[in-house]
Amino acid sequence: MEGKEFFSLLSGNHAREARQLYLATVSGVASTTPRMIRYFDHKVPAIDIITTKSFQVKENPGNREPIICETSLGNFGNSVGLRNPGMDAVYPELKQVKDEGLRAFLNVSVSADCPEDFIILVKKFDAIADSIELNFSCPHAAAGYGASIGCDAGIASSYVREIRKAVQSQKSLLFVKLTPNVDDIGLIAKACIEAGADGIVAINTTGPALHVDRVANAPILQNSLGGKGGCSGSWVKERALACVASIREAVGPTVPIIGMGGIATGADCRKLMDAGADAVGIGSALGRVNQKLWPSYLVAVKHDFVDADSHAADMFLSTQRQMAYSRMPVTSINFHGNDTIVLTLDGKLPTEAGEFAFLWLPGVGEKPFSLAGDDPVTFIIKRRGTFTAALWNLQVGSDLYVRGVYGAPLVNAKTARAILIAGGTGIAVLPALARKLQGQNTKMDILVGTSEREDEKPLLADELAAYGNFTCVADDGIPGRVLSLIPSLHIDETTACYLVGPEKFMAIAADKLIAAGADKRLMYLSMERNTRCGIGMCGECACGDRLTCQWGTFMEYGYLEQEMPQLLGRKK
């Protein structure tokens, strides 16, 4: 439905009187990319309002990882730092999604540090948004952004007034998202409405607060605030209820309010609507539910909202922390070539092909890696940036912190034969993969490409040779030189192909294998997309509409060909 039509359902107390629950995603959680917006629209029918992450005029790289933490069950800290690609980069993709037709109401969140930039953003997104959400609330943004605006009724209302004056023909609705970190949020909400806002969104995270890991006894989040970040999840629910009630009292019965903050169940939704919300946002709770179950979980939330005796949604929520760290001291560091180390830790972490873990160095950063061994825990690390350089400087006995595993085990068709091809540090995935295939009585040809010298013994050579015919080929100045061996391989209808390595490497390998007779239906690629949280909240590891931190890294060729052909070197 059109934005104005939906607005009429929210305003005038209609949703609350009818006990009609409209669910929304929240800015910065899950629906953070055009791909994930399309996913929520097509595959999560319980969501009625899809909210984007906060976009700015220019690209913002945000903070370094860790950006999200969970210090106790269901209680999260976050410090994303308004990471976004900038309006010009995201607009064409958002427009395409909108032009294809959206079932849900599209709420585009925007952030700026001056009225002039907010005006630019509103004008940019007005044509494709049903509503535009002014982010006056981020507690860990740079000076001048977010809560710096929303903490003062005079400043917040003046921003709204200037935007309304400059964009008098605005098609989309104008909502203001407010911070709970004020003495009187109702006063600020009323000032924004009187200045011309159509509705209010509340609350954003509380804080910022210092989030300390109980194992490392060190701040987790990585930012210029000394590790401080916003609080979301269960521990902000009571504050959200109080804020929404205060806003409703201040703005009267007809102004639409999208309420959020610690909401996870149907009972939570009832409480928030009783406090005055017309629609309810669910954010951090998605980090406690596997993406495969999001559609069913959110349907259960709506069911439980209607039936107070039902608690079906509660069964979907994890009962253990998803982001707990374990201390694993370094037991050995072996250097291989000029830019690679094999890092062995004192610990065990049962892992299958398709799964991975995060390594964290307090005060330095955090990154995800596939395990080359799970007992003892072993990683192959290529030196690429600040964090991996810090790993190189560790000594035997140094403490390293591990969380996970994330992803999911590979689900594959059992075949008589398989070809395994890896490039670079993608070789780390092969031991777990080979163990799985050996258990399926599959005969293997294992090919590995490396940038190291021909005369240097390949990594994992002895281990992988025990599983099948093992060949390692040095690039010798020709990237992906190992792929030249594909035409000589025996490939028939019983041969599965497993590819690991850089995306371009895998795309070329797939083309060569298909040309040699490989069946696309038996081809699997390990898509190690960028992920920053591991629990589905950041949404950045989307491969098509699947988050690799939830589905696992291995994707079927047919799925990629349909959903992400550009990753295979094809046009969309």
Side-chain angles (χ1 to χ4, degrees):
M1 67 180 66
E2 293 296 325
K4 301 292 184 183
E5 185 182 354
F6 187 79
F7 174 72
S8 69
L9 291 177
L10 293 184
S11 62
N13 203 24
H14 298 312
R16 281 172 282 130
E17 287 181 348
R19 304 304 288 175
Q20 172 69 49
L21 177 59
Y22 295 106
L23 286 180
T25 63
V26 308
S27 180
V29 177
S31 54
T32 53
T33 66
R35 277 281 172 183
M36 291 305 293
I37 289 169
R38 185 181 286 108
Y39 160 77
F40 276 102
D41 191 68
H42 292 181
K43 298 189 177 180
V44 192
I47 288 294
D48 304 287
I49 305 168
I50 301 174
T51 306
T52 70
K53 66 164 54 183
S54 287
F55 299 117
Q56 296 170 290
V57 173
K58 300 294 184 183
E59 178 183 6
N60 182 348
N63 293 323
R64 288 178 52 82
E65 303 90 344
I67 58 166
I68 299 174
C69 63
E70 183 188 21
T71 51
S72 59
L73 178 61
N75 294 321
F76 296 92
N78 60 77
S79 181
V80 177
L82 294 173
R83 173 184 171 93
N84 74 96
M87 66 177 191
D88 288 335
V90 77
Y91 181 84
E93 291 184 82
L94 276 184
K95 185 178 185 304
Q96 181 179 349
V97 170
K98 187 69 173 179
D99 288 346
E100 290 171 357
L102 281 180
R103 165 195 59 82
F105 183 90
L106 181 62
N107 181 35
V108 177
S109 179
V110 297
S111 173
D113 66 348
C114 63
E116 292 76 16
D117 279 359
F118 270 116
I119 291 166
I120 291 171
L121 289 159
V122 170
K123 288 182 176 179
K124 183 74 174 182
F125 292 110
D126 183 47
I128 61 171
D130 294 302
S131 67
I132 294 179
E133 175 183 294
L134 307 178
N135 184 347
F136 289 178
S137 55
C138 181
H140 50 79
Y145 290 86
S148 299
I149 303 167
C151 282
D152 186 284
I155 296 174
S157 61
S158 70
Y159 272 50
V160 174
R161 193 171 293 109
E162 289 192 49
I163 293 168
R164 277 302 195 201
K165 182 179 179 180
V167 197
Q168 295 183 15
S169 60
Q170 184 176 342
K171 174 187 73 68
S172 57
L173 304 172
L174 194 66
F175 278 67
V176 175
K177 187 170 187 179
L178 295 178
T179 174
N181 306 311
V182 294
D183 294 331
D184 191 345
I185 193 171
L187 176 68
I188 298 170
K190 182 179 180 181
C192 289
I193 294 299
E194 291 176 345
D198 293 306
I200 301 295
V201 180
I203 61 175
N204 205 323
T205 54
T206 65
L210 189 65
H211 302 278
V212 177
D213 179 67
R214 65 183 69 170
V215 176
N217 194 30
I220 303 172
L221 301 176
Q222 188 77 13
N223 57 35
S224 60
L225 302 178
K228 290 183 178 180
C231 303
S232 64
S234 302
W235 52 8
V236 307
K237 182 168 59 179
E238 294 305 316
R239 180 60 177 157
L241 292 170
C243 285
V244 168
S246 177
I247 294 168
R248 176 56 67 200
E249 181 179 4
V251 301
T254 62
V255 173
I257 300 173
I258 303 175
M260 59 193 62
I263 304 303
T265 67
D268 293 339
C269 294
R270 281 197 304 275
K271 290 179 181 178
L272 197 61
M273 287 192 70
D274 288 343
D278 299 288
V280 177
I282 292 185
S284 296
L286 294 177
R288 298 179 60 192
V289 180
N290 190 287
Q291 187 205 358
K292 298 176 184 179
L293 302 176
W294 285 355
S296 299
Y297 161 62
L298 293 168
V299 166
V301 169
K302 283 193 168 181
H303 175 269
D304 296 350
F305 171 81
V306 176
D307 184 354
D309 293 325
S310 176
H311 303 282
D314 302 54
M315 305 302 293
F316 289 90
L317 299 168
S318 62
T319 57
Q320 295 182 332
R321 289 171 62 203
Q322 303 297 293
M323 305 184 78
Y325 291 97
S326 298
R327 184 178 69 88
M328 294 188 184
V330 176
T331 57
S332 70
I333 304 176
N334 294 316
F335 291 84
H336 187 86
N338 297 322
D339 62 354
T340 305
I341 58 173
V342 179
L343 193 64
T344 305
L345 309 181
D346 183 10
K348 301 177 182 179
L349 195 63
T351 310
E352 296 188 44
E355 297 178 320
F356 59 91
F358 281 81
L359 296 180
W360 173 48
L361 279 172
V364 179
E366 176 183 69
K367 292 291 182 184
F369 297 92
S370 296
L371 278 75
D374 57 12
D375 184 12
V377 169
T378 305
F379 296 92
I380 297 174
I381 310 291
K382 183 176 285 288
R383 187 168 184 165
R384 285 181 175 146
T386 301
F387 182 71
T388 51
L391 294 179
W392 272 55
N393 292 327
L394 294 176
Q395 305 293 322
V396 171
S398 296
D399 285 338
L400 193 54
Y401 298 88
V402 182
R403 66 174 174 94
V405 295
Y406 303 100
L410 162 71
V411 177
N412 65 319
K414 296 181 181 179
T415 60
R417 296 188 63 254
I419 296 170
L420 285 60
I421 302 178
T425 54
I427 192 174
V429 178
L430 295 189
L433 175 59
R435 284 197 302 272
K436 181 182 182 73
L437 296 178
Q438 186 182 60
Q440 297 176 346
N441 297 316
T442 300
K443 295 182 178 179
M444 291 168 260
D445 288 306
I446 303 172
L447 279 64
V448 172
T450 176
S451 59
E452 308 302 336
R453 304 189 311 270
E454 288 276 10
D455 59 350
E456 189 164 14
K457 186 175 182 179
L459 285 167
L460 305 178
D462 293 338
E463 181 175 356
L464 293 175
Y467 291 108
N469 299 319
F470 174 76
T471 304
C472 183
V473 177
D475 287 348
D476 194 25
I478 305 174
R481 184 165 164 253
V482 66
L483 302 182
S484 65
L485 299 182
I486 289 177
S488 66
L489 297 173
H490 172 67
I491 299 175
D492 59 29
E493 67 277 2
T494 70
T495 306
C497 301
Y498 301 88
L499 309 179
V500 188
E503 290 176 358
K504 185 175 181 180
F505 172 88
M506 291 191 292
I508 295 172
D511 284 344
K512 290 181 176 293
L513 286 164
I514 292 168
D519 188 337
K520 294 179 182 180
R521 294 170 297 180
L522 296 176
M523 189 175 296
Y524 307 87
L525 289 74
S526 183
M527 309 305 296
E528 298 183 11
R529 310 288 286 168
N530 179 44
T531 180
R532 309 184 83 209
C533 72
I535 60 171
M537 288 175 66
C538 76
E540 294 207 21
C541 63
C543 190
D545 59 17
R546 297 178 181 178
L547 299 175
T548 58
C549 69
Q550 308 284 291
W551 288 79
T553 62
F554 277 98
M555 300 285 169
E556 307 92 336
Y557 183 95
Y559 173 79
L560 294 172
E561 190 174 38
Q562 178 177 336
E563 298 292 333
M564 296 288 283
Q566 63 271 32
L567 297 180
L568 301 173
R570 313 281 192 271
K571 292 183 178 180
K572 292 185 181 181

